[in-house]
Amino acid sequence: MKVETCNISRHETFQGPYRRLILDASGIGCAGVPGQFVHLRIPRLDGAVLRRPFSLYRAGKDGIEVLYKPVGRGTDAMLSMVQGDSLSLIGPLGNGFPVCGKKRTPVLVAGGYGVAPLSFLALTSARPGIIFIGGARADDVLCVDDFKSRGWDVRVTTEDGSLGAKGRVTVAIDAWLQSPESRGDREWYACGPDGLLKAVGERAAANGWNAWLSLDKHMGCGVGACLACVQRVRNADGTEGWVRVCRDGPVFEARSIVW
Amino acid sequence: MKVETCNISRHETFQGPYRRLILDASGIGCAGVPGQFVHLRIPRLDGAVLRRPFSLYRAGKDGIEVLYKPVGRGTDAMLSMVQGDSLSLIGPLGNGFPVCGKKRTPVLVAGGYGVAPLSFLALTSARPGIIFIGGARADDVLCVDDFKSRGWDVRVTTEDGSLGAKGRVTVAIDAWLQSPESRGDREWYACGPDGLLKAVGERAAANGWNAWLSLDKHMGCGVGACLACVQRVRNADGTEGWVRVCRDGPVFEARSIVW
Amino acid sequence: MVKSSSKTPDTTAPSMAVDIGGIRMRNPVMVASGTFGYGPEYADLVDLNALGALVVKGIRIAPWDGNPTPRMVEVPGGLVNAIGLQGPGVDGFIADYLPFLRGYEVPVIVNIWGRSLDEYREVAQRLDGVPGIAGIELNISCPNVKEGGLAFGTQPDMARSVIAAVRRATRLPLIPKLSPNVSDIRVFAAIAEAEGADAISLINSYPAMVIDVRTRRPVLANRVGGLSGPAIHPIAVKLVWEAARAVKIPVVGMGGITGPQEALEFLIAGARAVAVGTANFTDPTTALRVRDGIRDYLAEQGMHDIGELIGSLAT
Amino acid sequence: MVKSSSKTPDTTAPSMAVDIGGIRMRNPVMVASGTFGYGPEYADLVDLNALGALVVKGIRIAPWDGNPTPRMVEVPGGLVNAIGLQGPGVDGFIADYLPFLRGYEVPVIVNIWGRSLDEYREVAQRLDGVPGIAGIELNISCPNVKEGGLAFGTQPDMARSVIAAVRRATRLPLIPKLSPNVSDIRVFAAIAEAEGADAISLINSYPAMVIDVRTRRPVLANRVGGLSGPAIHPIAVKLVWEAARAVKIPVVGMGGITGPQEALEFLIAGARAVAVGTANFTDPTTALRVRDGIRDYLAEQGMHDIGELIGSLAT
Ligand SMILES: Cc1cc2nc3c(=O)[nH]c(=O)nc-3n(C[C@H](O)[C@H](O)[C@H](O)COP(=O)(O)OP(=O)(O)OC[C@H]3O[C@@H](n4cnc5c(N)ncnc54)[C@H](O)[C@@H]3O)c2cc1C
Ligand SMILES: Cc1cc2nc3c(=O)[nH]c(=O)nc-3n(C[C@H](O)[C@H](O)[C@H](O)COP(=O)(O)OP(=O)(O)OC[C@H]3O[C@@H](n4cnc5c(N)ncnc54)[C@H](O)[C@@H]3O)c2cc1C
Ligand SMILES: Cc1cc2nc3c(=O)[nH]c(=O)nc-3n(C[C@H](O)[C@H](O)[C@H](O)COP(=O)(O)O)c2cc1C
Ligand SMILES: Cc1cc2nc3c(=O)[nH]c(=O)nc-3n(C[C@H](O)[C@H](O)[C@H](O)COP(=O)(O)O)c2cc1C
Ligand code: FES
Ligand code: FES
């Protein structure tokens, strides 16, 4: 974990409202693994005291990439960032996704920008598996080719039916779970809205599979100091308590989460 | 007086650190006279609740021009404004300079950006007179050609001697006052730092001349409502009281000012 | 179409009218004392009749000079002012400004202050029965004058006596303006209600100080001043919420409104009207923007009357 | 050159060391409770030994769960938090964090709180004599817990009893942290001094509320929280200035520091040390920037010792 001042190498439209931000943060890039995130200080967001967290979409010796969608004051202000702008990152933060068990096949479930860390995970995965991508509209279904080109089985759903099957991602998952092809030893990975994570967790648990959920909580410090981002969990001894999504997560096994 | 949203037609270096800002505010432009000012809302100055006042350097049916120098948070932020940016103005505000008496010759004294309203005054003056321009360095001596091209007698002083006579503007004024050429009926106009205004006022009063001083006070509303910009004055009946620089001024006759 | 002359009612336009302790306003958006002068200053820029009410700058029984300059300094998200209640006095106000204001329909609320109980009573008495005045806002919370001002607003006994005295001196709707500089705002809200106030307003600016580190002097001549603007908004919302639950009389909420959003927070928290202060300097049309924004919000939410919004906080 | 072994003193580097009620700090820049965890969280990013002191998150006698989420919301110029003092309890702190902190030379100040006088006393007693603890900051001003917290800090009698009780329970340097939510801070500063406190610190975050106008609910699960950050800085400067003139014991100033400028204001106003809170989130190196900026300022002003700056306000 370090504070790194870096420059924007590229900032471009990725798809629909989503943007891709490429940063020459090589220190963080070298250290980052899938599931980790950076805490980004948005330039020229006067009066803002908080950074904003973004998952690593790519990380390597040249730096990092993130995908984001403008949804509020901060991400809106990010739109005006340009190549060459300097900004400050803290990262890599949190724990990455655990590696998929040797004999298991990875099953990924993504909603919205949640596909970004999963695409990074697929890149480093020992073998391809299956990914369910859900979105409101076709525009929200990102990175399909990232997976296809690596041999993944990609199942798309959109709520308006503009791409793939119509409905929520759970519709596709449930259909698949009914089918014989779902049999076998699986390890689940999911990133998206809470509703999606919860649904994935329930389905995985019902089958006795691990489901690694990447949680999205409003953050203050990003490093574990402020206790803003806490999530209620069930401890091994049955008691309940808080964990810090930023430091103890953002990835947690589904059965530990108290929704 | 109106609120006018306008666009930046041009924004350029004027001289040294000074910038010229050309705005297509034709409503304010048509109404504005020398000595009046606009209250400008600086775009992208988040967290700022106050506008900033700037004298009219030019005003006409095409809009207005101001000259400014970055000296603080607001004026620094102005540097990043670009052509086409939209901004909000209130103006024209305050009272202009009174017209020079028929048989009198105008004597102008300017320090720093104070030359801007005086250049506008010279443009509308029935006949040329003399102008003393003082500055710290050659860079601070603006608009010399504006005056020369209209037949004005321009006397420059700089504190470091890099242009014109070395010393404060009062040195040149005092030398001139000693000389026979200063005799005659004069009407003084000055804009610059308080020290300069005071010095000019004293010299004018000593000779029984009017001196119209344009005051620079920190402003809130700009329209006379908040009472932030007040100046102590002596009333006709000998009592003292406050006047509002924004609404009752910014131009006052020197003998009324209680420094 | 029984009566051909009847206007088709605009069923989509929600009703915005509110009654603040007997003052009927067309909409709940006022301008705050000290930030809008006495009316004429902004009349070129804002249709005064479009305001819910106009609260004039604080006046006392006689003219008052206020503080030396500098009187105002900008800080992140606000400003600190120490005007010190400069004003023409009650007779000056009546002679010089009231005739102008009588030309408008907007309710005019006079903000009053005094250096003693007697002064407070006198100025209220003087205003009683003067045509063109809709109500009195009783400033017991100004951080910028040494005498009276804040002390009246932070000590329950003093607050009680001054409100009671002014109440006896006037039949006009009376709106004590509470100080935020207290540990429990409910105490002061309840005192106001018990002493017969028709409404309360809050918050005034918050005691504050800015130091010039270059000269190592306070920036303001008065050394301390009052912080206003967006910086104090979350504090104001909390106090308005508490005050509104403590009393039955209407609450006027203010502090840091820059647009509809902050005004809606006050109304949802229980304020029956709001006032725009510092933002008038940033954008003189703020009150109109706020009014329009509230109306649009009501329409969006399918509300027909502002009353449905007021105090609608779900907790 | 009489003694060849003597080091040439660096005459240009001003002395930054301060003594806060017996706690010797290399420089006056601390990090504020609740914004820096217990040390390890920021240890990768900041050299802990470069801090004047490290104040850990508030702890009580037993583990505490704090409030439900959401616990934090950003506002213009600050944030409102309602963490609710989640923590491992005093034994958890001693077992899990103190060993780590003992590996550093930075003075560790433990921020403590309780739901009753007894709890306050017990946690102070438990810390007394534990190696690696430089002092106790007594939190009587947290706006985010129902029990105790703010009530202790806004009622003179309660403040007096809790400070007296804790004073008897510990020989460690004791620093009550005052609430800003009072009408006259000098009263509480004087109480702390009279009851034997070694220093005081101020200000804690300011009671505040944010409403989501879309859902018409408070954004924070706890409904109200504490406002911190640049928004409260001018308020904090005024309170520090008043408190510093009311007592002889040292004052630690905090509230809205983002860089050297705001810290210098506190020191000039009379604070002997300052603490960086919310700005740690924005930029974890803030405390170091502040320290360097103060040093540069002293050098520029030709001051040789931070003592020349403290309380140097010309009024
Ligand atoms: C571990 C993690 C990884 C993330 N990765 C990505 C990513 O790769 N791409 C992407 O587009 N978004 C990502 N997000 C969500 C992203 O951080 C928010 O969209 C962003 O903070 C919104 O900021 P804003 O100022 O535009 O929104 P506003 O709603 O105006 O923000 C106000 C406050 O709320 C917080 N906030 C608002 N929404 C969220 C949210 N959904 N999650 C967390 N905090 C929020 C902000 O940080 C800020 O403090 C991630 C969140 C987390 C916790
Ligand atoms: C009637 C009038 C006409 C002016 N005309 C011009 C002009 O034509 N060109 C030009 O360059 N400048 C002019 N000024 C000065 C200009 O307004 C200030 O330089 C500017 O406000 C500084 O803002 P800042 O944020 O950069 O400085 P900061 O010092 O960061 O500003 C902080 C606050 O102080 C106020 N302030 C600071 N300096 C001054 C000052 N000298 N006068 C008034 N307020 C100040 C600002 O408005 C702001 O509220 C004029 C001032 C007045 C009163
Ligand atoms: C320049 C200025 C002058 C003020 N004068 C008065 C006054 O005379 N009487 C009064 O009760 N409040 C006065 N106030 C307080 C405002 O009416 C209002 O309560 C406060 O500024 C908070 O609202 P805001 O954040 O929208 O400005 C003044 C505020 C400012 C900024
Ligand atoms: C997230 C957060 C948690 C805090 N927790 C505590 C705490 O446990 N004990 C305490 O005394 N103060 C606590 N505070 C208050 C800070 O120590 C500090 O007094 C306040 O935030 C003002 O400083 P700032 O504006 O620099 O943040 C907390 C503040 C924040 C923002
Ligand atoms: S964001 Fe501060 S603890 Fe997680
Ligand atoms: S700036 Fe408000 S009265 Fe002049």
Side-chain angles (χ1 to χ4, degrees):
Chain A
M1 188 205 312
K2 54 169 67 184
V3 191
E4 189 167 357
T5 303
C6 62
N7 292 304
I8 298 179
S9 318
R10 245 158 89 188
H11 186 202
E12 60 190 22
T13 294
F14 187 72
Q15 176 180 310
Y18 293 85
R19 296 287 181 284
R20 180 160 77 148
L21 188 62
I22 309 185
L23 302 166
D24 68 0
S26 54
I28 293 173
C30 287
V33 298
Q36 289 189 301
F37 64 98
V38 290
H39 216 23
L40 184 155
R41 183 165 180 192
I42 300 168
R44 295 182 298 272
L45 186 61
D46 254 23
V49 297
L50 295 182
R51 293 168 176 254
R52 300 291 190 270
F54 296 95
S55 298
L56 293 174
Y57 169 56
R58 294 287 182 266
K61 62 178 178 21
D62 294 337
I64 66 155
E65 300 186 19
V66 305
L67 302 185
Y68 75 94
K69 180 179 170 178
V71 297
R73 208 175 87 82
T75 41
D76 285 350
M78 285 171 67
L79 293 175
S80 73
M81 303 187 311
V82 293
Q83 190 173 327
D85 274 359
S86 153
L87 53 79
S88 163
L89 290 180
I90 305 177
L93 295 172
N95 306 305
F97 291 110
V99 173
C100 186
K102 272 230 171 93
K103 301 201 171 136
R104 299 188 189 142
T105 320
V107 181
L108 277 43
V109 187
Y113 75 78
V115 79
L118 295 178
S119 162
F120 189 20
L121 178 68
L123 213 68
T124 60
S125 173
R127 65 194 154 283
I130 179 166
I131 173 151
F132 296 91
I133 311 183
R137 275 167 302 280
D139 262 357
D140 297 305
V141 177
L142 309 178
C143 304
V144 170
D145 292 340
D146 289 357
F147 294 97
K148 285 208 171 139
S149 66
R150 308 195 146 256
W152 287 67
D153 179 356
V154 183
R155 311 279 177 105
V156 170
T157 46
T158 51
E159 288 174 39
D160 69 353
S162 53
L163 198 72
K166 185 173 168 135
R168 305 210 151 202
V169 72
T170 42
V171 174
I173 295 175
D174 288 338
W176 179 76
L177 282 171
Q178 304 293 329
S179 77
E181 51 165 338
S182 70
R183 299 211 188 101
D185 209 1
R186 310 287 178 177
E187 188 127 10
W188 292 64
Y189 297 86
C191 188
D194 276 5
L196 178 147
L197 299 182
K198 189 164 176 245
V200 168
E202 284 163 4
R203 283 157 179 79
N207 292 282
W209 295 322
N210 285 334
W212 303 104
L213 311 180
S214 178
L215 266 56
D216 176 350
K217 282 272 176 185
H218 289 213
M219 287 187 180
C221 65
V223 303
C226 75
L227 308 178
C229 66
V230 295
Q231 169 63 44
R232 205 77 187 153
V233 293
R234 205 166 293 106
N235 298 319
D237 62 3
T239 60
E240 276 189 16
W242 296 111
V243 287
R244 299 162 301 179
V245 168
C246 67
R247 188 146 189 141
D248 307 317
V251 179
F252 297 95
E253 208 288 306
R255 281 164 289 203
S256 68
I257 305 286
V258 182
W259 291 106
Chain B
M1 186 205 313
K2 55 169 67 185
V3 192
E4 190 166 355
T5 302
C6 62
N7 293 304
I8 298 179
S9 317
R10 244 158 87 186
H11 186 202
E12 60 189 22
T13 294
F14 188 70
Q15 176 180 309
Y18 294 84
R19 296 286 182 284
R20 181 160 77 149
L21 187 62
I22 309 184
L23 302 166
D24 68 359
S26 55
I28 293 173
C30 288
V33 299
Q36 288 188 302
F37 65 98
V38 289
H39 216 21
L40 185 155
R41 182 164 180 195
I42 300 168
R44 294 182 298 271
L45 187 59
D46 254 24
V49 297
L50 295 181
R51 292 167 177 256
R52 302 291 190 267
F54 296 94
S55 298
L56 294 174
Y57 169 56
R58 294 288 183 266
K61 62 177 176 23
D62 294 337
I64 68 154
E65 301 186 19
V66 305
L67 302 183
Y68 76 93
K69 181 182 172 177
V71 298
R73 205 174 90 81
T75 42
D76 286 350
M78 284 170 69
L79 292 176
S80 73
M81 303 185 311
V82 294
Q83 189 173 327
D85 275 359
S86 153
L87 53 80
S88 162
L89 291 178
I90 304 176
L93 295 171
N95 305 305
F97 291 110
V99 174
C100 186
K102 271 232 171 95
K103 300 203 172 131
R104 299 190 188 140
T105 320
V107 182
L108 276 45
V109 187
Y113 77 78
V115 78
L118 296 177
S119 162
F120 190 20
L121 179 67
L123 214 68
T124 60
S125 175
R127 63 192 157 286
I130 179 167
I131 174 151
F132 295 92
I133 309 182
R137 275 167 301 279
D139 263 358
D140 297 304
V141 177
L142 309 179
C143 305
V144 170
D145 292 340
D146 287 358
F147 295 97
K148 284 207 172 143
S149 66
R150 308 195 146 255
W152 286 66
D153 179 357
V154 183
R155 310 280 177 104
V156 170
T157 47
T158 51
E159 286 175 40
D160 69 354
S162 52
L163 195 74
K166 184 174 169 136
R168 306 208 149 200
V169 71
T170 42
V171 173
I173 296 175
D174 288 338
W176 178 75
L177 283 170
Q178 302 293 327
S179 76
E181 50 164 340
S182 71
R183 299 216 186 99
D185 210 0
R186 309 288 179 176
E187 189 128 9
W188 292 66
Y189 298 85
C191 188
D194 275 6
L196 177 149
L197 299 182
K198 189 163 176 244
V200 168
E202 284 164 2
R203 282 157 181 78
N207 291 283
W209 294 324
N210 284 335
W212 303 104
L213 311 181
S214 177
L215 267 56
D216 176 350
K217 282 271 176 186
H218 288 214
M219 288 186 179
C221 65
V223 302
C226 74
L227 308 177
C229 66
V230 295
Q231 169 64 45
R232 206 77 188 152
V233 293
R234 205 166 291 109
N235 299 318
D237 62 3
T239 58
E240 277 188 16
W242 296 111
V243 286
R244 297 162 302 179
V245 169
C246 67
R247 188 143 190 142
D248 306 318
V251 179
F252 297 94
E253 207 288 305
R255 281 164 290 202
S256 68
I257 305 287
V258 181
W259 290 107
Chain C
M1 270 213 267
V2 181
K3 292 169 69 186
S4 64
S5 71
S6 75
K7 282 191 193 140
T8 312
D10 182 357
T11 47
T12 60
S15 163
M16 297 272 281
V18 294
D19 183 313
I20 301 295
I23 308 170
R24 293 205 46 85
M25 306 183 188
R26 288 193 192 166
N27 68 67
V29 188
M30 318 169 27
V31 285
S33 178
T35 66
F36 214 78
Y38 305 96
E41 298 84 352
Y42 276 113
D44 279 4
L45 306 179
V46 180
D47 173 10
L48 304 186
N49 285 335
L51 303 171
L54 190 162
V55 188
V56 300
K57 171 86 188 152
I59 61 166
R60 65 183 276 273
I61 191 67
W64 187 250
D65 246 7
N67 291 323
T69 57
R71 289 175 168 189
M72 189 183 278
V73 51
E74 197 181 46
V75 293
L79 62 85
V80 182
N81 91 80
I83 306 298
L85 292 170
Q86 178 189 331
V90 65
D91 293 324
F93 168 72
I94 292 172
D96 299 342
Y97 296 104
L98 208 49
F100 168 87
L101 288 166
R102 287 198 195 107
Y104 292 85
E105 288 158 26
V106 62
V108 173
I109 298 174
V110 182
N111 180 281
I112 67 166
W113 69 283
R115 294 176 304 164
S116 66
L117 218 63
D118 281 342
E119 281 197 10
Y120 269 109
R121 188 173 20 225
E122 279 173 48
V123 58
Q125 244 152 16
R126 183 76 187 77
L127 290 169
D128 199 45
V130 175
I133 298 177
I136 289 182
E137 185 177 54
L138 183 63
N139 183 0
I140 53 168
S141 50
C142 183
N144 295 325
V145 285
K146 292 200 178 47
E147 305 86 355
L150 202 50
F152 282 108
T154 57
Q155 292 168 25
D157 290 345
M158 289 182 75
R160 194 187 319 275
S161 1
V162 67
I163 297 168
V166 171
R167 174 71 295 174
R168 280 191 299 272
T170 184
R171 290 156 303 176
L172 284 168
L174 179 61
I175 312 172
K177 183 165 177 179
L178 305 186
S179 171
N181 197 35
V182 299
S183 298
D184 191 346
I185 197 77
R186 294 169 299 181
V187 171
F188 294 83
I191 288 173
E193 180 169 53
E195 297 304 331
D198 301 291
I200 52 175
S201 65
L202 66 160
I203 61 176
N204 211 314
S205 56
Y206 206 91
M209 184 174 194
V210 182
I211 294 173
D212 181 334
V213 304
R214 215 177 30 80
T215 61
R216 291 197 283 280
R217 292 181 179 282
V219 171
L220 297 175
N222 190 51
R223 298 188 289 192
V224 300
L227 176 64
S228 63
I232 63 170
H233 177 68
I235 299 178
V237 172
K238 191 252 184 185
L239 294 173
V240 164
W241 177 63
E242 286 187 333
R245 290 188 311 160
V247 294
K248 295 206 177 61
I249 53 177
V251 173
V252 180
M254 70 192 93
I257 295 178
T258 66
Q261 170 88 20
E262 296 91 7
L264 288 167
E265 286 192 62
F266 283 125
L267 296 167
I268 293 167
R272 199 171 303 172
V274 297
V276 174
T278 299
N280 292 310
F281 307 156
T282 326
D283 172 9
T285 66
T286 304
L288 309 185
R289 272 196 299 114
V290 169
R291 179 201 58 175
D292 294 348
I294 295 171
R295 196 192 45 218
D296 294 350
Y297 177 91
L298 293 176
E300 269 163 43
Q301 303 284 321
M303 293 181 173
H304 301 295
D305 191 295
I306 183 92
E308 296 169 57
L309 182 66
I310 293 164
S312 62
L313 187 73
T315 51
Chain D
M1 269 211 266
V2 182
K3 291 168 73 184
S4 63
S5 71
S6 75
K7 283 192 191 140
T8 311
D10 182 358
T11 47
T12 58
S15 163
M16 297 271 281
V18 294
D19 184 312
I20 300 297
I23 308 171
R24 294 204 46 82
M25 305 181 187
R26 288 194 192 165
N27 68 67
V29 188
M30 316 170 28
V31 285
S33 179
T35 67
F36 214 78
Y38 305 96
E41 297 84 353
Y42 276 114
D44 280 2
L45 306 178
V46 179
D47 173 10
L48 304 186
N49 285 334
L51 302 171
L54 190 162
V55 187
V56 300
K57 171 85 188 153
I59 59 167
R60 67 183 275 273
I61 192 66
W64 187 249
D65 245 9
N67 291 324
T69 57
R71 291 177 167 187
M72 189 183 281
V73 51
E74 197 181 47
V75 294
L79 62 84
V80 182
N81 91 80
I83 306 298
L85 292 169
Q86 179 190 330
V90 64
D91 293 323
F93 168 71
I94 292 172
D96 299 342
Y97 296 104
L98 206 51
F100 169 87
L101 288 167
R102 286 198 194 106
Y104 292 85
E105 289 158 25
V106 61
V108 173
I109 298 174
V110 182
N111 181 280
I112 67 166
W113 70 283
R115 294 176 305 162
S116 66
L117 218 64
D118 281 340
E119 281 196 9
Y120 268 110
R121 190 177 14 230
E122 279 172 48
V123 58
Q125 242 152 16
R126 183 74 188 78
L127 291 169
D128 198 44
V130 174
I133 298 176
I136 289 181
E137 185 177 54
L138 183 63
N139 183 0
I140 52 170
S141 49
C142 184
N144 295 328
V145 284
K146 291 201 178 48
E147 305 86 355
L150 202 52
F152 282 108
T154 57
Q155 293 170 23
D157 290 344
M158 288 183 76
R160 196 187 317 275
S161 0
V162 68
I163 297 169
V166 172
R167 174 71 295 174
R168 279 193 299 272
T170 184
R171 291 156 301 178
L172 284 168
L174 179 61
I175 313 174
K177 184 165 179 180
L178 305 186
S179 171
N181 198 33
V182 299
S183 298
D184 190 347
I185 197 77
R186 293 168 301 181
V187 171
F188 293 84
I191 287 173
E193 181 169 51
E195 297 305 330
D198 300 291
I200 52 175
S201 64
L202 65 162
I203 63 176
N204 212 314
S205 56
Y206 206 91
M209 184 174 195
V210 182
I211 294 172
D212 182 335
V213 304
R214 214 177 31 80
T215 61
R216 291 197 284 280
R217 293 182 178 279
V219 172
L220 298 176
N222 190 50
R223 296 188 291 192
V224 300
L227 176 64
S228 64
I232 64 170
H233 178 67
I235 300 179
V237 171
K238 191 255 186 183
L239 293 173
V240 164
W241 177 64
E242 286 186 335
R245 289 188 312 158
V247 293
K248 294 207 178 59
I249 52 177
V251 173
V252 180
M254 71 192 92
I257 295 178
T258 66
Q261 170 88 20
E262 295 92 6
L264 288 167
E265 285 192 65
F266 283 126
L267 295 166
I268 293 167
R272 200 171 300 173
V274 296
V276 174
T278 300
N280 292 311
F281 307 155
T282 327
D283 172 9
T285 67
T286 304
L288 310 185
R289 272 195 300 111
V290 169
R291 178 199 60 174
D292 294 349
I294 295 172
R295 197 191 45 218
D296 294 350
Y297 177 90
L298 293 176
E300 268 162 44
Q301 302 285 320
M303 293 180 171
H304 302 295
D305 191 292
I306 184 93
E308 295 169 58
L309 182 66
I310 293 164
S312 62
L313 187 74
T315 51

